[in-house]
Amino acid sequence: MCALAQSRSTAGSCGSCNSLQRILARAAYARTWSVSENWAVASQVQLCVLLCKYHEFHDAMAIAHRALRSQSEGIFPHGRERNMLLWIKINCAEELGERDEAARAIRLLASSAPTSVLVWNKFHEICKGHSNANNILRWILRVVNRVPVVCPSVYIILGSHHLLAGNYTWAAGQYLIADRELPDHPLIALLLGVSFTRMVMQRRPINVHLVAVQGFAFLEKYFRLRTASGDEGDIVEACYNLGRTYHYLGLNAMACEFYQRVLESRSSLLKFEAAHNLALIYVASGATALAVRVRREYCTV
């Protein structure tokens, strides 16, 4: 029985090796494929998928790149096959650590599918922290100006770029467009609240009080939307975010109220952060004993 099992295992492994050899042979043929042979695009997609299955990412990306470059030669893949080849190229480039190649491929994919949330989420995942962030921002603006309808995620990405750069007015403008498309999304309401409160702290708006009221209104909207599910984790997150915002604005009494709600919850989520911030408020107000008690209870391992 042992000998039979061993022979079957050997035969299975040999079959797997032969299968891999056949795939690599087809890959070698694909890389030398000429346009006159007019190899079906669907076969290339299947071959790339098999190569990725066997972790042959170099060959898979070479085949996908060759197929996508055939546009000028008259047999450019369209529609579903083209998008699949782009996804394959993106995944292979990520596996090989070629970030620039992945960024170029995701740009092509985003241009052909500007309303896809999945594509723009992947775009943000690949391009965040990129050294050419300004070039990426200008490219997104060109897409928005060229395409009449785009995914709301695009405006969130644009707003986040402006928010990180300190352009809070531009950030709020982009988030308002996203809020018009998704009025019941708590993240957009939170980002709008943060943008307006940052504008208040800059002291640049003509009517600071109006901007402050708008910021508080969006923060309250965020709190209402986030806590609507009744989930303990969502409530704790909303309380901490509001407490942190009020702490930033110097409204320490309101910040303490929300930090206390985090500490009194049954969930352990964000308790360390809330206790640390609450202790900072106590120290600033001269209540050192309360700060020591909070840190001892929640910040001691």
Side-chain angles (χ1 to χ4, degrees):
M1 289 296 292
C2 293
L4 179 60
Q6 184 177 2
S7 64
R8 286 181 179 176
S9 175
T10 305
S13 62
C14 291
S16 177
C17 291
N18 291 334
S19 176
L20 179 58
Q21 289 175 357
R22 288 195 297 270
I23 292 172
L24 293 178
R26 290 183 65 188
Y29 173 69
R31 282 183 292 178
T32 59
W33 162 62
S34 64
V35 180
S36 59
E37 293 170 352
N38 196 15
W39 194 10
V41 175
S43 298
Q44 298 176 60
V45 172
Q46 294 175 3
L47 178 57
C48 290
V49 171
L50 287 174
L51 286 169
C52 292
K53 180 181 178 181
Y54 286 100
H55 303 284
E56 298 293 336
F57 299 113
H58 281 288
D59 288 318
M61 191 166 72
I63 294 171
H65 183 71
R66 178 66 180 86
L68 291 168
R69 288 192 61 184
S70 61
Q71 179 181 13
S72 60
E73 298 165 351
I75 53 173
F76 182 71
H78 292 281
R80 180 171 177 270
E81 289 80 8
R82 177 180 182 272
N83 290 344
M84 288 185 66
L85 286 170
L86 284 171
W87 276 116
I88 290 169
K89 188 176 180 181
I90 291 166
N91 292 331
C92 291
E94 286 187 311
E95 291 289 341
L96 297 172
E98 299 183 10
R99 190 174 180 183
D100 292 337
E101 194 67 33
R104 283 191 288 269
I106 196 63
R107 286 188 186 187
L108 292 174
L109 191 58
S111 298
S112 62
T115 59
S116 173
V117 177
L118 178 64
V119 170
W120 285 106
N121 286 344
K122 191 66 176 177
F123 178 91
H124 181 65
E125 179 185 341
I126 292 174
C127 296
K128 65 181 179 181
H130 201 276
S131 57
N132 293 325
N134 292 330
N135 293 337
I136 293 171
L137 182 62
R138 284 194 290 268
W139 180 84
I140 297 176
L141 290 173
R142 288 197 297 270
V143 172
V144 172
N145 293 330
R146 185 177 70 251
V147 181
V149 179
V150 296
C151 176
S153 301
V154 179
Y155 299 107
I156 297 177
I157 294 173
L158 287 172
S160 299
H161 275 284
H162 289 302
L163 186 65
L164 293 175
N167 302 322
Y168 304 123
T169 305
W170 287 92
Q174 299 298 329
Y175 292 143
L176 284 171
I177 299 175
D179 183 68
R180 186 176 57 194
E181 299 293 331
L182 298 172
D184 296 327
H185 201 293
L187 175 61
I188 299 175
L190 175 63
L191 292 172
L192 277 167
V194 170
S195 300
F196 280 112
T197 52
R198 292 298 178 102
M199 289 165 59
V200 170
M201 297 304 291
Q202 281 187 326
R203 305 290 196 275
R204 293 180 183 176
I206 298 175
N207 194 339
V208 177
H209 300 289
L210 177 61
V211 175
V213 169
Q214 290 175 325
F216 291 138
F218 279 112
L219 289 173
E220 290 298 325
K221 178 183 177 181
Y222 158 73
F223 187 81
R224 174 174 51 82
L225 293 173
R226 192 58 174 163
T227 58
S229 63
D231 182 73
E232 186 75 18
D234 293 344
I235 295 174
V236 169
E237 176 196 315
C239 289
Y240 178 79
N241 285 333
L242 258 68
R244 185 66 191 90
T245 304
Y246 291 135
H247 190 182
Y248 171 77
L249 293 172
L251 303 174
N252 292 338
M254 300 178 69
C256 287
E257 177 184 349
F258 284 100
Y259 286 149
Q260 287 287 357
R261 292 177 65 176
V262 174
L263 297 179
E264 292 169 1
S265 66
R266 294 190 298 263
S267 174
S268 60
L269 181 68
L270 296 172
K271 279 194 174 182
F272 177 86
E273 292 83 356
H276 174 72
N277 293 338
L278 185 60
L280 292 179
I281 294 175
Y282 286 154
V283 170
S285 61
T288 309
L290 286 175
V292 171
R293 189 181 70 181
V294 168
R295 284 172 174 164
R296 184 177 299 162
E297 184 175 355
Y298 297 100
C299 302
T300 304
V301 180

